[in-house]
Amino acid sequence: MGALDNKVAIVTGGAKGIGRAIAAGLAREGARIVIADLRGAESAAAAFADGVGLTVDVADEAAVQRMADETVEQCGSIDILVNNAGLYASLAMRPFDQIPLDEWRQVMDVNVASMFLTCRAVTPVMRAGGGGAIVNISSGTPFRGVPFLLHYVTSKGAIVAFTRALAKELGKDEIRVNCVAPGFTMSDGVKQHPEVVEKLRDASVSARTIQRDQEPEDVVGAVVYLAGSSASFVTGQTIVIDGGQYFH
Ligand SMILES: NC(=O)c1ccc[n+]([C@@H]2O[C@H](COP(=O)([O-])OP(=O)(O)OC[C@H]3O[C@@H](n4cnc5c(N)ncnc54)[C@H](O)[C@@H]3O)[C@@H](O)[C@H]2O)c1
C-alpha cells in the first residue's frame, strides 16, 4: 500500500531532470503518472505502470486544456498536479539590460503563465473529485536575489506569490497549493550546459550547510509529502531545498 494509491498525478516537464525524479517518487507511492512534456513524454511515461505520456507545451492554452481533458478521459480524475516544467539552464546569464524582451516574455510564459493555465484547467476536475494537491516548482534564486538572470529569478519569485494567493482561493475546495524551491541541481538540463555547471557548481556547494551536489532526487521527498494526506493541513507554503544554503 502506498500513500498515493489510486491518485492520478500530472507532472509537467516530467520527461527528464527534476520532473522525472518527482514522477518516479510519486509512482513509488502508488500514484498513476501522467507525464506532460514538450518532448519525450511517451517514452518517459512508459517507465511507469499505466503511465500516460502527453505531448504538451504548457504555455499553450489549448494544449493545456487538452492535457486536462485527456487525463480525465484516460485516468478518470486528476488528484495531483506538479507544475515543474520551466526554462532554466538554456538561459544565458547576462546583465538585466541585455535580456531581449522576447526572451523575457518567453520565460514569463513558460515559467509563470503556464501555471495559471494548468491550474485553471485542472481545478474544475479536482473540485468535482472533492479536492486535490498542487505543487509548484520555484527556485532558491528569488530568496537569494541571484543576479544576471533577472527574468528567471522574477518568474520564480512570482511562483511563490501565485502559490500563496491561489491557496487562499482554493482552500474552501480542499485543494492545497504549495511550492518547493530547489537550489542549483544537477538535472539533465543543467548537465547539458557545461558552462552553467562550471559557473555555479562549486560556488553552490561551498555556500551550502550540507556541502555536496544537489541531485533531482533531493527534491522528491518534499513533493511527495506535499502531494499526500500527511500534508492535509499545509497550504500556501514554500519549502526551500538547497542543503541549507538559504534559511527560509
Ligand atoms: N536545475 C536547477 O538547478 C533548478 C533549480 C531550481 C529550480 N529548478 C526548476 O526545476 C524545474 C525543472 O528543471 P530541470 O533543471 O529539471 O530542467 P530540465 O531541463 O532537466 O527538464 C525540464 C523539462 O521541462 C520540459 N519543458 C520545458 N519547457 C516546456 C514547455 N513549454 N512545456 C512542457 N514541457 C516543457 C523539458 O522538455 C524538460 O523535459 C524548472 O522549473 C526549473 O526552473 C531547477
Side-chain angles (χ1 to χ4, degrees):
M1 284 290 285
L4 302 176
D5 281 348
N6 304 316
K7 302 290 185 193
V8 175
I10 299 177
V11 182
T12 71
K16 64 181 199 182
I18 294 170
R20 188 172 56 193
I22 290 170
L26 296 170
R28 279 195 293 274
E29 290 300 329
R32 185 165 178 197
I33 302 300
V34 178
I35 302 284
D37 204 303
L38 268 182
R39 335 182 170 80
E42 283 196 21
S43 55
F48 305 114
D50 296 325
V52 174
L54 301 175
T55 301
V56 180
D57 176 354
V58 289
D60 176 328
E61 185 176 19
V64 168
Q65 188 56 53
R66 271 199 307 279
M67 172 192 83
D69 294 345
E70 284 183 31
T71 301
V72 173
E73 205 176 291
Q74 295 197 48
C75 308
S77 69
I78 302 170
D79 306 292
I80 297 161
L81 166 68
V82 181
N83 279 315
N84 162 80
L87 293 175
Y88 169 54
S90 60
L91 300 169
M93 293 184 76
R94 48 188 157 199
F96 85 95
D97 53 2
Q98 291 172 26
I99 296 174
L101 180 58
D102 58 353
E103 188 177 298
W104 177 280
R105 288 189 167 133
Q106 188 195 13
V107 170
M108 293 302 156
D109 257 9
V110 175
N111 291 9
V112 187
S114 62
M115 298 200 183
F116 163 62
L117 295 174
T118 56
C119 290
R120 200 180 57 174
V122 307
T123 47
V125 184
M126 288 183 171
R127 277 195 190 103
I134 297 171
V135 183
N136 301 321
I137 306 300
S138 172
S139 153
T141 57
F143 300 102
R144 289 182 274 123
V146 170
F148 306 123
L149 266 181
L150 192 65
H151 44 4
Y152 178 76
V153 177
T154 304
S155 75
K156 291 295 173 177
I159 291 165
V160 175
F162 174 97
T163 298
R164 292 175 178 179
L166 187 62
K168 287 272 184 184
E169 287 199 40
L170 295 180
K172 65 179 182 334
D173 300 314
E174 300 289 335
I175 300 172
R176 296 178 298 101
V177 190
N178 288 291
C179 186
V180 166
F184 181 66
T185 305
M186 300 301 289
S187 65
D188 295 316
V190 162
K191 287 193 276 194
Q192 278 164 6
H193 290 272
E195 75 287 359
V196 174
V197 174
E198 193 181 333
K199 200 168 217 163
L200 298 177
R201 184 183 199 165
D202 292 348
S204 300
V205 169
S206 63
R208 290 179 181 143
T209 305
I210 300 167
Q211 296 193 329
R212 62 158 173 82
D213 280 339
Q214 178 160 357
E215 301 294 340
E217 188 61 33
D218 290 314
V219 181
V220 172
V223 177
V224 170
Y225 161 68
L226 291 169
S229 60
S230 300
S232 61
F233 206 47
V234 179
T235 194
Q237 305 302 315
T238 297
I239 302 178
V240 175
I241 300 171
D242 65 358
Q245 182 172 359
Y246 180 88
F247 294 144
H248 170 61

